[in-house]
Amino acid sequence: MSGWMHHLLIVPIALPLVSGALLMVYDERRQFLKGVINLISALTTLYVAIRLLQFADTSATGVYLLGNWPAPFGIVLVVDRLSALMLVLTGVLASAALIFSLARWHKAGAHFHSLFQFLLMGVNGAFLTGDLFNLFVFFEVMLAASYGLALHGSGVQRVSAGLHYIAINLAASFLFLIGVSLIYGVTGTLNMADLAVRIPATAGDARLLLEAGAAILGIAFLVKAGMWPLSFWLLGAYPAAAAPVAASFAILSKVGVYVLLRLSPLLFGEKAGASAGFGSAVLLVGGMATIAFGMIGVLASQAMGRMASYSLLVSSGTLLAATGLSDAGVTGGALFYLVSSTLTISAFFLLIELVERGQSPAANIIAVTAEAFGDEEEEKEKPDDGSGSAFPGTFAILGVCFAGCALLLSGLPPLSGFIAKLSMLVAVLAPPGPGVAAGIPLASWIFTALLILSGLAALLAMSRIGIRMFWAPVDASVPRVLVVEIVPVILLLSLTIALAVQGGPAMRYMQETARAVHAPAQYVHDVLSAPRARAPAREAAR
């Protein structure tokens, strides 16, 4: 990585930082100007992320030495296939959520645009950093911005859920610090690549202390990833947040998943000595428990916001269990699933607000009661006069988008959700040798069953709510939907279709990413051997 391309690596962090600071200067009455600056910054960051993904797909790991200090002594930013993929996904979600917010939500509270840019800075920094200390720094920047965005728009329910969200994440940050301190005390380094070199040589009491620090650190990430039973805060916070905020928050749970996926093979892979495989069983069992919990929640939910939150837990649980299986083939399918499910859930959060505009709160209560106790009298009071009624165009568009979300969350063909689940199932059930199907572990069969049942649960729940909202609505009116609000939903769902159409190249990228994650020797070598920048000719001559 040389020339001007080398400096692109810091843009996803520096640009949101500068943009957020600049937006603080402008008065809140200049919302249009602030919105334009915010959108330009977000789209530029997305463009840079795409260029970094193109680089990562064709070249070795890119390393940026801040202050020109070599690793592990200085701060390093690292881009590879995995981090570039997460940067692009973040940029897509941020751009869609921001466009949606320009209709009205960005005016609902102060400093929305600055907080949005600082959130981008924290998330991008977490994906790019190469050491645990700066991971904590970017983690806190991300959380601090998310606190303000979770409370954006005020309201009793939002403030109550937002305060719970803040309290839980502050506790997770405290655990993060304790875990990092223990790891540094044992190894004397926080650089991820350097840790991969030093951990195999750690033995005795030092190894126990190291694993204790890693376990505490893992709890902090599992809170953010939403693993059961640490996910109780998410179920209230996400539905209560403003629609564009909830849509952008869909990537936050994936930050925890990303870190666990990055660190598990890197620090506790096959070459980690006595610590090899540490925590994998917890991720596998906890992930499957999270799928089961989310599946039950999806079936029990009557409100679409709660259903979207439980669907997010199913997504996180699937990814955590796939990480715990420690198989490159499963991880490749899981990465495909990560992109598909995150795009779908983000679109679903945006769609929920548009659909519920045409529903009064009383109508939802009436509909649920009718489902439980029947509504025969009402049917008799409304004879069919044969006149019919025109189906509004807005409702048709919203209905098609809702059906798309239902198919994607259920994992039905031919969309990307089906391709992702099928890829994971093929890898999980692949026998170790010809005719040795009996050698498939019990955990793989349980994971397979949960993957299929979670799709069935989503199909049943989405069908039930779809009938209530679109087929036989009670006291519903056609919602007023602006073009700027429906376009981001269509865009996100269109990307899942493109992901399915380009399933071959996309899956190739995911599988190569998974192989690199599970064989991190190249990552370690590239980071620790990254050359310092050469001094300018004038200074070298002195």
Side-chain angles (χ1 to χ4, degrees), residues 214-499:
I216 295 172
L217 189 64
I219 293 174
F221 295 131
L222 290 174
V223 169
K224 198 63 209 169
M227 190 185 83
W228 183 85
L230 305 174
S231 56
F232 58 91
W233 59 271
L234 186 149
L235 299 172
Y238 280 43
V245 172
S248 59
F249 277 13
I251 195 65
L252 297 193
S253 62
K254 303 305 183 289
V255 175
V257 173
Y258 163 84
V259 175
L260 291 167
L261 179 59
R262 168 73 73 192
L263 295 184
S264 293
L266 181 63
L267 305 186
F268 302 108
E270 296 177 354
K271 298 182 179 181
S275 296
F278 176 76
S280 295
V282 175
L283 293 178
L284 177 58
V285 175
M288 292 192 295
T290 305
I291 298 174
F293 175 71
M295 177 177 62
I296 295 171
V298 165
L299 287 171
S301 296
Q302 298 296 336
M304 286 194 291
R306 295 282 290 187
M307 182 181 293
S309 296
Y310 278 111
S311 297
L312 191 61
L313 291 186
V314 172
S315 172
S316 292
T318 302
L319 296 170
L320 291 172
T323 302
L325 287 170
S326 303
D327 180 84
V330 178
T331 301
L335 290 174
F336 198 100
Y337 176 80
L338 183 153
V339 175
S340 175
S341 63
T342 306
L343 290 173
T344 304
I345 293 171
S346 183
F348 192 31
F349 273 120
L350 297 179
L351 182 64
I352 287 170
E353 181 186 320
L354 304 181
V355 172
E356 291 185 341
R357 282 183 193 172
Q359 298 282 333
S360 64
N364 287 329
I365 298 175
I366 294 171
V368 173
T369 305
E371 285 182 3
F373 299 103
D375 199 19
E376 297 178 3
E377 295 298 323
E378 186 174 353
E379 292 294 330
K380 293 178 181 178
E381 293 173 4
K382 295 183 178 181
D384 184 10
D385 58 6
S387 60
S389 58
F391 194 78
T394 301
F395 242 31
I397 296 173
L398 295 179
V400 170
C401 292
F402 184 89
C405 289
L407 292 174
L408 286 161
L409 291 176
S410 304
L412 294 179
L415 299 180
S416 57
F418 171 76
I419 297 173
K421 289 190 174 184
L422 180 63
S423 176
M424 284 189 286
L425 290 178
V426 169
V428 166
L429 298 179
V436 200
I440 298 175
L442 176 62
S444 297
W445 289 112
I446 297 174
F447 177 71
T448 299
L450 288 172
L451 207 59
I452 296 172
L453 290 176
S454 63
L456 178 61
L459 180 62
L460 293 174
M462 293 291 282
S463 299
R464 182 187 68 226
I465 287 189
I467 291 172
R468 190 170 76 222
M469 292 293 181
F470 297 98
W471 188 260
V474 178
D475 191 26
S477 59
V478 180
R480 182 175 179 269
V481 177
L482 301 179
V483 174
V484 76
E485 293 175 312
I486 194 62
V487 165
V489 179
I490 296 174
L491 172 65
L492 292 174
L493 295 178
S494 298
L495 287 175
T496 64
I497 296 174
L499 191 64

Side-chain angles (χ1 to χ4, degrees), residues 42-68:
L43 292 175
T44 304
T45 305
L46 174 58
Y47 170 76
V48 171
I50 294 173
R51 292 302 303 271
L52 290 174
L53 183 138
Q54 293 171 340
F55 162 79
D57 192 30
T58 57
S59 307
T61 307
V63 182
Y64 192 91
L65 304 177
L66 292 174
N68 208 24

Side-chain angles (χ1 to χ4, degrees), residues 130-157:
D131 66 273
L132 293 181
F133 177 78
N134 285 283
L135 178 62
F136 173 77
V137 172
F138 288 119
F139 206 76
E140 289 307 298
V141 171
M142 175 189 76
L143 290 178
S146 71
Y147 298 155
L149 290 174
L151 298 173
H152 180 76
S154 192
V156 175
Q157 183 181 3

